[in-house]
Amino acid sequence: MMRAWSPAFSARLSPPLWGLACVVVLLVSIAATQAPAPPPAPPQTNHTADQEPITPIPPPPAADPLKLALGERLFGDGRLSETGNVACSSCHDLSTNGAGNRRRMAQDGTRLTFDTPTVFNAALSFRLNWEGNFRTLAAQAVSSIESPGNDMHSSVVEVVRKLNADPAISRKFYAAYGQAPDRDNFLDALVTFERSLLTPGSRFDRWLEGGATALSSDELEGYRIFKSYGCSSCHQGVNVGGNLFERQGVFRPLVEGQPKIVRVPSLRNVATTAPYFHDGSAATLEEAVRRMAAAQLDRTLTDQQVASVVAFLQTLTGNYRGKPVVGASP
């Protein structure tokens, strides 16, 4: 083992040995200064998504392309209704926000009880509809077709009869399922398509996945307020909501009329789905944020706070088939 140099140590060496020791020390010093620098530490992996109450939307699940194409055709097929004029796409416009295009009237002219929720990302919610009264997409589809309060006024039995009477659509069922249309494969095709209606790739999801520049400072401030004031207690998870029930109007009234308990809506694409609340009574996102803060959190937000929260909510707009979801025309 090498000893450190000291005067006492050098005094015990004869001149030749003392000179040799100096040379050794000099060579060691030179070698140390010329040694290569250690490699830089690898960049830290961003674990943002693991630390936040919201998780990114996954890509649509893998599906049989024949069943997927058949389900898409059925989604836009008017034969699901009694008149032949109303399809799923009549109320859920996939070219815009997947919702009702601000339409609050039924086909017969009566006013709808509930604002039409978007079908985008519905497959990620634990219950469906405002009252959360359906656990599966298939059950919700049957209700849309058969419930007297909806526009279709038909039955699954009648729909299947119409499909079997059409040789072209029957061939598609045989290609996808190996048999003629029946209740099970009709609903399976429709649900297969609805499960594909996910909207990944929002700017907020890109930030969650490590894109540090995906959000502005104002949008990040809005997200900070959203979490610190308690909004994320109900609006969290992959769908930023859609996974529990809540009373409307905890501290003061939020909406008029029933129901008082609703399934917490998803905030995915919320900037595109005006009007807001189950009765459509909030025309703008700014109004909805103010009313929610007051009624649910007992908070009065400043104009700047409202603007920041709205800026954050606008980052939740995702993409359908590679294009951003857009709002319906007024």
Side-chain angles (χ1 to χ4, degrees), residues 122-323:
L124 300 177
S125 293
F126 90 128
R127 299 285 178 85
L128 302 166
N129 287 3
W130 279 102
E131 294 179 288
N133 47 354
F134 299 106
R135 293 177 179 268
T136 68
L137 291 167
Q140 193 276 330
V142 171
S143 176
S144 294
I145 294 169
E146 298 185 343
S147 175
N150 292 327
D151 282 341
M152 290 184 165
H153 301 295
S154 187
S155 69
V156 173
V157 170
E158 178 62 16
V159 171
V160 170
R161 184 194 67 78
K162 292 177 181 178
L163 297 176
N164 273 290
D166 181 346
I169 197 75
S170 291
R171 285 194 294 270
K172 293 186 179 298
F173 272 91
Y174 271 104
Y177 291 96
Q179 62 186 58
D182 62 21
R183 179 187 179 89
D184 289 342
N185 57 29
F186 159 67
L187 291 174
D188 182 77
L190 199 57
V191 167
T192 297
F193 176 62
E194 290 183 354
R195 285 177 179 152
S196 76
L197 299 177
L198 305 187
T199 61
S202 70
R203 286 198 296 117
F204 185 75
D205 282 359
R206 295 205 303 272
W207 178 78
L208 285 175
E209 291 165 343
T213 62
L215 301 185
S216 69
S217 58
D218 190 41
E219 291 161 349
L220 287 172
E221 172 62 11
Y223 181 47
R224 186 196 66 78
I225 296 171
F226 185 84
K227 290 191 295 181
S228 64
Y229 279 19
C231 307
S232 59
S233 297
C234 294
H235 293 285
Q236 27 64 21
V238 67
N239 230 8
V240 200
N243 56 5
L244 51 84
F245 290 97
E246 185 55 83
R247 179 161 63 94
Q248 297 189 97
V250 176
F251 292 97
R252 64 200 70 179
L254 176 67
V255 294
E256 295 181 0
Q258 299 296 326
K260 292 302 182 184
I261 304 294
V262 297
R263 185 214 61 176
V264 174
S266 165
L267 296 184
R268 291 289 182 178
N269 306 308
V270 68
T272 74
T273 57
Y276 302 102
F277 307 142
H278 82 271
D279 60 354
S281 59
T284 67
L285 198 50
E286 289 79 3
E287 179 187 353
V289 168
R290 288 185 190 278
R291 285 170 55 179
M292 283 291 292
Q296 303 301 105
L297 305 173
D298 198 25
R299 298 269 191 172
T300 300
L301 302 184
T302 66
D303 290 347
Q304 183 55 55
Q305 288 173 323
V306 171
S308 293
V309 172
V310 168
F312 155 65
L313 294 175
Q314 289 171 338
T315 72
L316 296 173
T317 301
N319 301 287
Y320 178 58
R321 293 183 170 173
K323 296 181 179 180

Side-chain angles (χ1 to χ4, degrees), residues 20-71:
L20 178 60
C22 291
V23 170
V24 170
V25 171
L26 178 61
L27 291 176
V28 170
S29 300
I30 293 173
T33 59
Q34 293 181 345
Q44 291 187 341
T45 303
N46 189 302
H47 295 294
T48 304
D50 297 332
Q51 303 164 4
E52 300 297 336
I54 300 171
T55 55
I57 286 187
D64 183 320
L66 294 178
K67 295 178 182 179
L68 192 61
L70 179 57

